Amino acid sequence: MDEVVVTALGHAGLRVDAPGARILADPWVSSGGAFLGAWFPFPDNGHLAAPVLEDVDLVVVSHEHLDHLDLAFLEGLAPEVPVVVPRYPSTILPRRLAAIGRRTVVLDAWQRYPLGGDDWLTVIPEQCPMSHDAAVLFSLAGRSVLHTNDARISLAQVRRAMDEVNGDIDVMGVQMSGASWHPVRYDYPPEESDRISEAKRVGKFKAVTRLVRSVHPRFVMPYAGPPAFLDPELFELNSGLHGPGIFPDQHEALTWLQERLPQQASAYLLPGDRLDVDRLVVERDRHWDGFSLASGPLERRRYLEDYASRRAGAVERAWAANPEPPAGSGLAEGFKAHLESLGRLSAYFLARIGMTVRFEVSGPAGGTWDAHIGPDRVRVDLDGGAGPANYVLRMDARWLAGVVTGRTRWEELLLSLRFTARREPDHYNDYLVGLLKHADLAALRAVEEFEAARDPFESIVVDDGGRKVAVSRYCPHAGEDLAETAVVVDGVLRCLGHNFEYDLTTGACLNARSDPITVSTVEPAATAR
């Protein structure tokens, strides 16, 4: 092969071929789904087979989410195929790979992994360690591919990527459909859920559009569209069944980009479609003849129902792998010990949580358990329910048991959407989610050190309807550069990185637990006499 070719594997998975290099990036191709049998690739990539999936020299995996880290598939690859991963404060990713016998290479940010000749790849982790996500940059045969995965990389990072490849980015894959359980699993009236979904969807679209407009790659492709929810209990959450929602598909993402960046070459690839990076020509997989993402809700429903029937066994196996724990199984006591042990990991996180989280757990082993998290310790009351709670999570004991026993990680349970919730006040607390999803001393300490190192005095000036306001340059939540990610509307600054909103009079965060931004009105210059 003399040219560089990118083949879509579905979701965020890519195969990248070049002279002397055959690489899989974040392949999610096994039939068992992810996140407790809740997620499956959309559309179905089950027609892909060897040699597309097996005739490779290397696999690179960006992060530990199981729609990127396909352990069942990786375990079956030839033993000599190494897996390259980014270095994160937590070592969970290489440990999970070691558990299935994979040889793993851990790369530091921007460290080059040689692929022969002048070719290489490197990883670009998000700046804030609260999220362990990374982009992958390939330099192959004089061409470059920036595979952003789920990472919210900054404009400064993309500019460095362009410096690393000594020119423009040829192909840029962008993720425009977030992975979120909010608001779809919360107790909101339908109109409020729709409002929040639209704000988050548009915020994500705007952030990606800004990045693409600034970088102007030769070709951009939106990927990692919505997951398919094939379990009957979750089926109605599927994208395209009930109008715009929190999980836009690749067609919606591409339409948005093409309307706002009409001169930008762009297309989405379905599983098996190939892009010749030199000529920017797409070769379509004949498997998709007659299929369209824009066909409408009735056709989408028929497609998903057929897909669900093909994967019914995988969903059944997920339920069987998580049996209902019986009364007297010790789930309550194990849950109490588990959560209270998390309270010993980080005083910094506990001080920023300071809330009561109520767990309403159904099933013979369940109950109502109140976890008082912070400000200085975690205390679990197994006779809960009497007093107020800031946050209520409801779930089946079978899914919680996996977390308590270590079979499942908290974020896998949350991403499965196999729970419902409400909160009062209705503010997101990233420290609570961070404590649960990391449950790792090194990871939590890295967040504390990152936040302590931010310069609180550097500022930028934004325009609030003609009023000039000096604000902190970096978002207090995740360090996003507000010079790149700030949108100001009616006295509120929204950071497009994670949709945190700040009052431009007081600096207070309006929709989440966050330190305030600094704000001060900039006096207009005196008029010369």
Side-chain angles (χ1 to χ4, degrees):
M1 173 177 287
D2 296 326
E3 68 274 11
V4 179
V5 174
V6 172
T7 303
L9 303 179
H11 206 57
L14 299 176
R15 178 180 170 119
V16 184
D17 287 279
R22 302 168 300 175
I23 306 163
L24 298 183
D26 288 53
W28 182 31
V29 293
S30 60
S31 61
F35 307 126
L36 304 173
W39 287 39
F40 292 82
F42 177 79
D44 185 6
N45 59 2
H47 70 290
L48 299 179
V52 170
L53 300 180
E54 296 178 3
D55 184 21
V56 296
D57 310 307
L58 176 76
V59 179
V60 57
V61 174
S62 64
H63 65 292
E64 67 157 302
H65 283 173
L66 298 179
D67 57 328
H68 295 254
L69 176 65
D70 189 341
L71 294 169
F73 169 72
L74 295 175
E75 188 173 16
L77 281 178
E80 65 271 15
V81 177
V83 179
V84 174
V85 300
R87 187 182 305 281
Y88 294 119
S90 167
T91 60
I92 183 64
L93 180 52
R95 284 190 282 119
R96 295 187 85 162
L97 287 163
I100 61 169
R102 297 309 317 177
R103 180 166 67 88
T104 306
V105 178
V106 181
L107 289 187
D108 292 318
W110 302 106
Q111 178 185 355
R112 294 185 179 185
Y113 181 89
L115 298 170
D118 294 329
D119 295 348
W120 49 268
L121 68 80
T122 192
V123 295
I124 312 170
E126 283 193 24
Q127 294 172 316
C128 177
M130 186 70 90
S131 294
H132 291 180
D133 290 312
V136 180
L137 175 65
F138 300 89
S139 178
L140 299 162
R143 294 299 185 187
S144 58
V145 177
L146 181 58
H147 180 33
T148 63
N149 298 295
D150 294 351
R152 297 178 179 93
I153 56 175
S154 69
L155 177 57
Q157 287 176 304
V158 178
R159 285 174 174 160
R160 175 167 175 181
M162 295 170 70
D163 287 341
E164 294 282 337
V165 299
N166 298 312
D168 293 337
I169 300 296
D170 288 301
V171 175
M172 184 174 177
V174 292
Q175 198 264 71
M176 297 178 69
S177 178
S180 178
W181 52 86
H182 178 265
V184 293
R185 302 310 281 165
Y186 281 71
D187 294 342
Y188 292 123
E191 60 275 12
E192 179 66 3
S193 183
D194 290 346
R195 183 193 68 78
I196 296 170
S197 294
E198 181 180 9
K200 296 181 80 166
R201 186 179 65 252
V202 170
K204 180 72 170 176
F205 280 8
K206 285 183 176 179
V208 173
T209 303
R210 281 189 171 192
L211 195 62
V212 173
R213 181 184 289 118
S214 300
V215 175
H216 193 58
R218 290 179 63 228
F219 189 90
V220 63
M221 54 181 185
Y223 56 13
F229 300 103
L230 305 182
D231 188 324
E233 290 201 352
L234 303 172
F235 189 87
E236 295 302 323
L237 299 177
N238 276 300
S239 169
L241 299 184
H242 307 288
I246 195 63
F247 302 111
D249 65 28
Q250 300 93 320
H251 173 73
E252 293 173 86
L254 183 66
T255 300
W256 173 282
L257 283 175
Q258 290 180 337
E259 288 176 350
R260 287 152 183 83
L261 303 174
Q263 305 306 313
Q264 172 67 61
S266 57
Y268 62 79
L269 274 61
L270 297 176
D273 290 348
R274 292 158 46 94
L275 171 68
D276 183 317
V277 177
D278 295 315
R279 297 181 295 126
L280 299 184
V281 173
V282 176
E283 176 188 339
R284 297 295 181 183
D285 187 331
R286 297 300 302 273
H287 177 82
W288 300 109
D289 289 354
F291 174 87
S292 172
L293 289 176
S295 58
L298 291 178
E299 185 60 32
R300 177 70 61 88
R301 182 175 291 275
R302 281 193 291 268
Y303 177 84
L304 288 166
E305 287 173 347
D306 289 343
Y307 189 4
S309 69
R310 296 194 297 273
R311 293 290 182 272
V315 173
E316 290 170 1
R317 287 190 290 275
W319 281 79
N322 294 274
E324 188 75 67
S329 63
L331 177 63
E333 293 75 17
F335 171 80
K336 175 180 171 71
H338 167 73
L339 270 198
E340 291 184 350
S341 71
L342 295 184
R344 295 189 284 272
L345 291 176
S346 174
Y348 181 82
F349 271 66
L350 291 187
R352 284 156 177 76
I353 298 173
M355 66 168 64
T356 296
V357 181
R358 177 164 296 151
F359 292 81
E360 296 179 352
V361 183
S362 60
T368 300
W369 309 326
D370 288 350
H372 307 282
I373 304 178
D376 55 2
R377 67 186 180 114
V378 173
R379 180 178 60 83
V380 175
D381 178 5
L382 296 179
D383 294 314
N390 308 103
Y391 206 159
V392 178
L393 295 172
R394 310 179 201 91
M395 63 192 67
D396 192 309
R398 71 173 67 238
W399 310 120
L400 184 60
V403 173
V404 171
T405 61
R407 186 173 64 245
T408 305
R409 293 178 61 79
W410 269 109
E411 196 168 24
E412 293 166 15
L413 170 55
L414 295 173
L415 285 170
S416 78
L417 310 189
R418 295 189 182 280
F419 73 99
T420 58
R422 71 172 186 271
R423 59 192 184 197
E424 181 63 40
D426 189 17
H427 287 174
Y428 175 62
N429 191 303
D430 203 29
Y431 297 97
L432 172 63
V433 176
L435 178 67
L436 294 177
K437 76 178 182 180
H438 290 307
D440 179 274
L441 178 61
L444 301 180
R445 185 172 292 159
V447 173
E448 180 179 356
E449 292 172 352
F450 173 83
E451 295 187 349
R454 289 190 301 228
D455 183 354
F457 301 107
E458 188 171 356
S459 64
I460 60 171
V461 175
V462 299
D463 188 315
D464 178 23
R467 180 173 72 105
K468 302 297 184 183
V469 184
V471 302
S472 313
R473 175 165 182 173
Y474 298 102
C475 179
H477 164 236
E480 298 279 352
D481 188 344
L482 294 176
E484 300 175 12
T485 64
V487 173
V488 176
V489 178
D490 296 334
V492 175
L493 181 150
R494 173 183 292 163
C495 174
L496 292 177
H498 301 86
N499 291 308
F500 278 39
E501 296 179 347
Y502 298 89
D503 187 299
L504 282 175
T505 299
T506 66
C509 186
L510 300 174
N511 64 344
R513 172 66 170 86
S514 170
D515 291 339
I517 58 173
T518 60
V519 295
S520 61
T521 300
V522 177
E523 297 296 333
T527 303
R529 294 181 180 273

